[in-house]
Amino acid sequence: MIKDNPMEWSNLLLDILWAYRTSKRDAIDCTPYELVYGHEAILPMEISVRTIRVDRQHHMTSEVYQEAMSIMNLDVEAKRAQALSSLIRQKRLTVESYNKWVRKKSFRVNDLVWKVRLHMGHKDNFYGKWTPQWEGPFRVVKVYSGNSYGLQDMNGNMTRTNINGKFIKAYHPTIWEKYAQNIQKCFPEFWENRKK
């Protein structure tokens, strides 16, 4: 509808809102309109056709109508409580489903970690598809609540922002780095001369 007449979207907004408010939601097992007013919406077609529900409302006395409205209000509260419990149950299921696939990571101060490069999926023109996705190593300097970490590079420079634990992973030195560390430990004089 809007695709054919993009300038007419404001005229269609009321119809779209009405359709949204009167259509049933699986999460709350009723319509948003019903949650607010306690009964289903009387559609314009029902008014012109004169359904039983409309006839009953027109022929009620004021006392009977008041009593019916108070009963309806009790029903609304029950429906709202039921909708809320249904939403909470669905949120809990969603969290459990998500957490099945999330691996818990925790790091301590002085652990070495890799950090995801920003703009994951970005390819460097020089490296092409072999563009590294991780950079580091970094040292964990501070552990914050909410699985957040303060990192420092090997030159002692702090990262500008704290990093969420899902964007870092444990650093394991390569064979060549282990080899260099062993040479440094066993032959410190050779290592110092090599640096010069």
Side-chain angles (χ1 to χ4, degrees):
M1 291 169 66
I2 295 175
K3 191 176 181 181
D4 298 332
N5 300 316
M7 300 299 285
E8 299 293 319
W9 71 269
S10 58
N11 298 335
L12 299 172
L13 190 58
L14 289 176
D15 296 333
I16 292 168
L17 282 174
W18 176 258
Y20 176 80
R21 291 172 182 154
T22 57
S23 58
K24 190 172 182 178
R25 302 276 173 267
D26 288 336
I28 56 178
D29 199 31
C30 62
T31 66
Y33 185 96
E34 196 173 348
L35 272 185
V36 174
Y37 298 107
H39 59 84
E40 290 182 20
I42 298 174
L43 301 174
M45 182 182 75
E46 290 179 356
I47 293 171
S48 62
V49 174
R50 301 293 297 175
T51 62
I52 297 169
R53 185 168 50 154
V54 174
D55 284 342
R56 281 187 189 155
Q57 287 178 353
H58 285 296
H59 292 86
M60 284 185 187
T61 63
S62 63
E63 295 85 24
V64 174
Y65 184 75
Q66 291 295 329
E67 186 178 331
M69 288 303 290
S70 64
I71 292 170
M72 199 180 297
N73 285 340
L74 292 175
D75 289 345
V76 170
E77 293 303 321
K79 275 191 180 176
R80 288 177 184 162
Q82 182 182 359
L84 181 62
S85 66
S86 176
L87 283 172
I88 289 170
R89 187 175 57 251
Q90 282 190 346
K91 292 289 183 189
R92 192 177 307 121
L93 288 173
T94 303
V95 166
E96 288 172 9
S97 160
Y98 175 78
N99 286 339
K100 283 180 187 176
W101 299 102
V102 174
R103 284 188 275 164
K104 301 282 186 204
K105 295 186 202 174
S106 63
F107 302 97
R108 293 177 298 212
V109 173
N110 289 330
D111 282 354
L112 292 177
V113 294
W114 289 103
K115 177 177 78 82
V116 146
R117 286 182 152 218
L118 295 180
H119 309 299
M120 268 188 92
H122 171 74
K123 291 187 169 106
D124 191 315
N125 290 336
F126 181 74
Y127 292 110
K129 68 179 181 179
W130 288 285
T131 300
Q133 298 299 315
W134 299 87
E135 60 186 357
F138 290 88
R139 186 175 308 283
V140 175
V141 177
K142 188 152 183 166
V143 178
Y144 298 99
S145 63
N147 199 27
S148 181
Y149 300 92
L151 303 180
Q152 182 181 52
D153 66 12
M154 299 326 287
N155 296 329
N157 302 323
M158 292 290 292
T159 55
R160 287 187 290 158
T161 59
N162 300 331
I163 307 294
N164 190 305
K166 69 181 178 182
F167 296 118
I168 58 178
K169 67 179 181 179
Y171 173 81
H172 301 288
T174 63
I175 291 175
W176 301 110
E177 288 171 326
K178 287 180 183 176
Y179 182 69
Q181 288 170 359
N182 288 338
I183 290 176
Q184 188 177 1
K185 285 179 190 172
C186 298
F187 306 104
E189 303 87 22
F190 171 77
W191 190 259
E192 289 302 320
N193 290 339
R194 185 182 165 277
K195 280 186 175 179
K196 293 176 185 176

